[in-house]
Amino acid sequence: MTELKFSKDHEWVRLEGGVATIGITDHAQSALGDVVFVDLPEVGRAVTIGEAIAVVESVKAASDVYAPIAGKIVEVNSALVDNPGLINTEPTEGGWFFRIELDGALPDDLLDADGYAAFVDTLA
Amino acid sequence: MTDSEVLLETPLASLHRELGGRMVPFAGYSMPVQYPAGIMAEHLHCRAQASLFDVSHMGQAELVGEGAAAALEKLTPADVQALKPGRQRYGLLLNEAGGIVDDFMFANLGDRLFLVVNASRKHIDLPLIESVLPAGVTLRPLPDRALIALQGPAVAALVPTTLTFMGIAEIEIAGIKVLASRSGYSGEDGLEISVPADQAEALARALLAMPGVLPAGLGARDSLRLEAGLCLYGNDLDETTSPIEAALTWSIGKRRRTEWNFRGADVVRDHLDNGVKRLRVGIRPEGRQPARGHTVIQKDGAVIGEVTSGGFGPTIGAPVAMGYVARDAAADGTAIDLIVRDKPLPARIAPMPFQPHRYAR
């Protein structure tokens, strides 16, 4: 399994063969609380880094999910439509949001697991 | 509230921390929005068994002296004078324009009235009440009392009382003398328990030790009251909203509708006689996407109102909301669009409560 990279917007990125699978981190799902709805981007859409492309709604509030990399949406996790709770129960597995075909290289400000953990600690 | 302002704490602050409460600022207080179980689980637990809520941030006060009930009636269209000893009622405080200054509970304790007002409004309500009191009637704020709500279908068996819905009495729970009313803000049977601050933690621990009682935070309190169709002051009610627009006409006493001697009576009377332009209604969005407060409501492309409270109803298993719409679009079943992130979300006007009340009447 490829190592996960993390954005400071609390997304994880798993790059395999030019396609990155992306979701929100365990820290993010815990902060959001019970997820009840997701609005996913359209397949085929070209996205740029930092663009708000999905929405996740918990019982409490709505939050944007940003594209951590540039490229084209090639797949979205339709299982989340009927079972958005997957984002809480398995945020980095079954709770993935979308797959982006990477355009160019991974941004160099993505963090590794230790770097992200240290970043989260600074937020507390 | 700015960061530089110090948040107040309730007498249960250390218990909240011990229970893993996630503390957030609310009406100037540091309050638990949820515990580790999460809002969904806390909400469902309250509907199934019993949940303990700290609502000590709310304002408690006593009104004492000959003519206290008549004095309060200057500010509220509720019938205070006819309320029997041992009974509690819901009322509205009004401004000169018939707008709602606050919603509150008042109870007849025989020798005095007991009041519970919203935390965010107590600094306005109490001076307002004070300003209309005749000589001999005194308002006594009770800052040294905590308020604990125990809500859910299991409460009646855990804390047996002779009270019926909206009854109030001094009773003993776990050896602690409290003032308990059979009421709440969840739509479920339950008690709201006023207790001296220095005994609040002992009482909360005794209640939490009872089988099936779990703590619940403000998040679950909000989703429970929304499913029950109950208003939240500041969201669903404010100083520009009349009791008739808010669909709270039932809180106006019958006698009061012949006397018209409360503040704002002219406007209220006009709204009753001639109808209102907008009404508070229930709203059921289609699908699973919630619509939050301030969402614009359209019908046939024209703006007809705004959502004032909205979210996901864990018991309903679907999004629910309430808001204000033009009178001619307020009928149950009317098709509307909620403009969520610039896209129309189809919805219908729906009867409230979304979740039937289960009060012990």
Side-chain angles (χ1 to χ4, degrees), chain B residues 49-50 154 158 207-213:
Chain B
Q49 297 191 57
L158 294 171
L207 294 172
L208 287 168
M210 292 176 176
V213 179

Side-chain angles (χ1 to χ4, degrees), chain B residues 53-86:
Chain B
F53 303 80
D54 178 14
V55 289
S56 303
H57 57 313
M58 297 190 78
Q60 301 179 65
E62 289 176 343
L63 205 51
V64 195
E66 192 76 30
L72 192 56
E73 285 191 351
K74 293 179 196 170
L75 297 174
T76 179
D79 193 335
V80 186
Q81 298 190 63
L83 184 64
K84 294 192 171 71

Side-chain angles (χ1 to χ4, degrees), chain B:
Chain B
M1 168 77 24
T2 62
D3 291 342
S4 63
E5 283 178 73
V6 176
L7 291 175
L8 300 170
E9 290 193 332
T10 75
L12 298 184
S14 64
L15 179 60
H16 295 316
R17 280 190 287 272
E18 182 184 319
L19 294 170
R22 187 179 292 172
M23 308 305 284
V24 299
F26 183 83
Y29 286 79
S30 174
M31 297 298 292
V33 65
Q34 64 167 84
Y35 297 88
I39 295 174
M40 189 88 84
E42 291 167 24
H43 176 117
L44 295 172
H45 184 81
C46 181
R47 294 260 184 257
Q49 297 191 57
S51 297
L52 182 142
F53 303 80
D54 178 14
V55 289
S56 303
H57 57 313
M58 297 190 78
Q60 301 179 65
E62 289 176 343
L63 205 51
V64 195
E66 192 76 30
L72 192 56
E73 285 191 351
K74 293 179 196 170
L75 297 174
T76 179
D79 193 335
V80 186
Q81 298 190 63
L83 184 64
K84 294 192 171 71
R87 302 298 300 170
Q88 176 177 268
R89 206 167 259 176
Y90 173 85
L92 303 170
L93 297 173
L94 301 186
N95 61 27
E96 297 289 352
I100 300 169
V101 174
D102 200 5
D103 62 343
F104 73 121
M105 289 287 193
F106 58 95
N108 183 346
L109 301 185
D111 58 349
R112 63 198 193 278
L113 294 173
F114 173 69
L115 313 178
V116 179
V117 304
N118 280 301
S120 62
R121 303 297 285 176
K122 59 185 173 188
H123 66 291
I124 290 172
D125 299 341
L126 299 185
L128 175 64
I129 293 169
E130 190 96 55
S131 72
V132 301
L133 299 183
V137 180
T138 313
L139 180 69
R140 282 196 217 131
L142 300 169
D144 296 328
R145 291 186 77 87
L147 195 63
I148 293 171
L150 188 66
Q151 300 282 294
V155 174
L158 294 171
V159 186
T161 70
T162 57
L163 300 170
T164 57
F165 181 61
M166 290 297 229
I168 186 166
E170 283 177 345
I171 61 170
E172 237 180 59
I173 303 176
I176 300 170
K177 267 185 70 178
V178 302
L179 177 64
S181 71
R182 196 153 185 182
S183 64
Y185 194 45
S186 63
E188 298 297 325
D189 186 16
L191 299 170
E192 291 213 337
I193 307 164
S194 173
V195 58
D198 59 3
Q199 291 173 288
E201 188 175 324
L203 176 66
R205 287 185 189 279
L207 294 172
L208 287 168
M210 292 176 176
V213 179
L214 291 175
L218 291 186
R221 185 168 158 85
D222 189 51
S223 54
L224 287 160
R225 70 93 195 167
L226 178 58
E227 283 186 342
L230 302 172
C231 293
L232 173 62
Y233 193 88
N235 281 40
D236 311 305
L237 307 176
D238 62 28
E239 295 222 26
T240 71
T241 311
S242 86
I244 318 302
E245 292 171 323
L248 296 173
T249 310
W250 57 268
S251 75
I252 304 175
K254 204 170 165 190
R255 170 176 59 84
R256 310 305 309 281
R257 295 186 213 189
T258 62
E259 299 174 343
W260 304 110
N261 58 352
F262 51 90
R263 234 165 58 129
D266 289 352
V267 175
V268 172
R269 189 174 191 174
D270 174 65
H271 282 188
L272 265 179
D273 289 350
N274 303 315
V276 288
K277 292 196 178 71
R278 60 185 188 133
L279 259 185
R280 184 173 64 92
V281 294
I283 297 162
R284 292 285 305 262
E286 285 179 16
R288 284 184 64 94
Q289 182 169 19
R292 313 282 175 179
H294 304 298
T295 297
V296 168
I297 304 172
Q298 292 187 351
K299 182 170 183 286
D300 305 325
V303 174
I304 57 154
E306 193 179 279
V307 172
T308 49
S309 285
F312 193 82
T315 313
I316 309 296
V320 289
M322 65 170 88
Y324 286 79
V325 297
R327 183 73 191 84
D328 61 5
D332 288 341
T334 305
I336 55 174
D337 287 314
L338 309 174
I339 309 304
V340 178
R341 290 182 286 277
D342 301 326
K343 279 184 284 190
L345 169 65
R348 284 188 189 277
I349 307 297
M352 289 191 288
F354 304 110
Q355 172 72 9
H357 295 160
R358 296 195 289 179
Y359 301 139
R361 289 190 190 276

